[in-house]
Amino acid sequence: MTFRKAGLVVMLVAMLLTVAACAYLENSEHISRHDKVGWARRMVEEGSWGVLSTTSTRPGLEGTPFGNPQSYAEINGTLYFYVSALDQSIKDVAVNPRVAFTLSDAMHPSNPACGTIPRLGDPESPLCSRMAFSGDFVDISGTVEGDLAMTALLEAHPAMEEWPEGHKWFVAKLDLSSVWLINMYGGAALISPEDYYGDFR
């Protein structure tokens, strides 16, 4: 067998392993990749952080995109955050509350479609699911919803309880307007808030 043929065999085996692994993951979660709402909810439930994208207010960069890692907790699909008004992203949302929040299965290092199998899986692969929420970033501190969210945040991120005082912390949520999801070949799925929250309202 030539070196080139051996390389092709290795790539074919890797591809079959990826397909099998993805099928196993799908079956073990009891969620089909064709169930876009279920898949989106699964990603939110399994995640704990993502990238918050805002419209920058930084001097000289006004109006440009700015992305920043952000921890979250969820209750019935709604994303909640514990943030400081001193953070650049929060300075941005004080001027323009429109944001995007991105999740990727690449955040879970054990996912084979996202790179566990060398030379095949990759964070850009459509089988490595990625999702972007769009909506408004809303301060809900001092409300019943905010108190419930804080409880969920501390349960998901215990270190938050030890964060220093004097940083103007508050609880916020993403008031959803749209969900963009890719979890397989064939293009993105656009999910409305009504469909996303359908099981909870």
Side-chain angles (χ1 to χ4, degrees):
M1 182 180 295
T2 66
F3 179 79
R4 182 177 180 181
K5 287 183 178 179
L8 290 173
V9 169
V10 170
M11 288 194 68
L12 178 60
V13 170
M15 185 178 296
L16 291 173
L17 286 172
T18 297
V19 171
C22 290
Y24 168 77
L25 288 172
E26 181 173 300
N27 291 335
S28 66
E29 294 156 354
H30 306 290
I31 301 173
S32 167
R33 288 179 180 266
H34 296 282
D35 177 3
K36 303 302 183 181
V37 172
W39 199 270
R41 292 287 295 112
R42 189 272 305 170
M43 289 184 67
V44 168
E45 290 169 358
E46 292 183 355
S48 62
W49 69 278
V51 176
L52 181 67
S53 297
T54 58
T55 303
S56 182
T57 58
R58 294 169 61 197
L61 294 174
E62 294 91 345
T64 61
F66 180 73
N68 203 4
Q70 188 68 58
S71 299
Y72 75 89
E74 67 93 20
I75 301 175
N76 292 337
T78 298
L79 303 178
Y80 294 100
F81 309 89
Y82 186 50
V83 294
S84 167
L86 305 181
D87 183 85
Q88 180 60 52
S89 298
I90 308 311
K91 293 179 182 178
D92 294 344
V93 300
V95 175
N96 182 353
R98 297 290 292 169
V99 301
F101 190 70
T102 304
L103 303 178
S104 169
D105 273 348
M107 295 167 176
H108 308 292
S110 62
N111 193 312
C114 299
T116 301
I117 299 176
R119 300 182 63 183
L120 190 61
D122 189 86
E124 287 193 39
S125 167
L127 296 178
C128 182
S129 306
R130 83 288 303 266
M131 176 169 57
F133 291 84
S134 297
D136 287 346
F137 201 83
V138 181
D139 183 351
I140 57 169
S141 294
T143 67
V144 173
E145 183 180 13
D147 292 343
L148 293 172
M150 192 69 233
T151 299
L153 284 158
L154 290 175
E155 182 177 344
H157 305 278
M160 287 181 174
E161 195 163 9
E162 305 301 325
W163 288 357
E165 298 180 2
H167 284 63
K168 301 181 180 179
W169 300 104
F170 66 92
V171 180
K173 74 174 183 179
L174 197 156
D175 189 9
L176 187 64
S177 61
S178 178
V179 179
W180 178 96
L181 169 70
I182 287 182
N183 68 341
M184 62 189 300
Y185 296 99
L190 301 179
I191 304 171
S192 69
E194 292 76 18
D195 289 337
Y196 177 75
Y197 288 119
D199 292 338
F200 303 104
R201 292 182 175 175

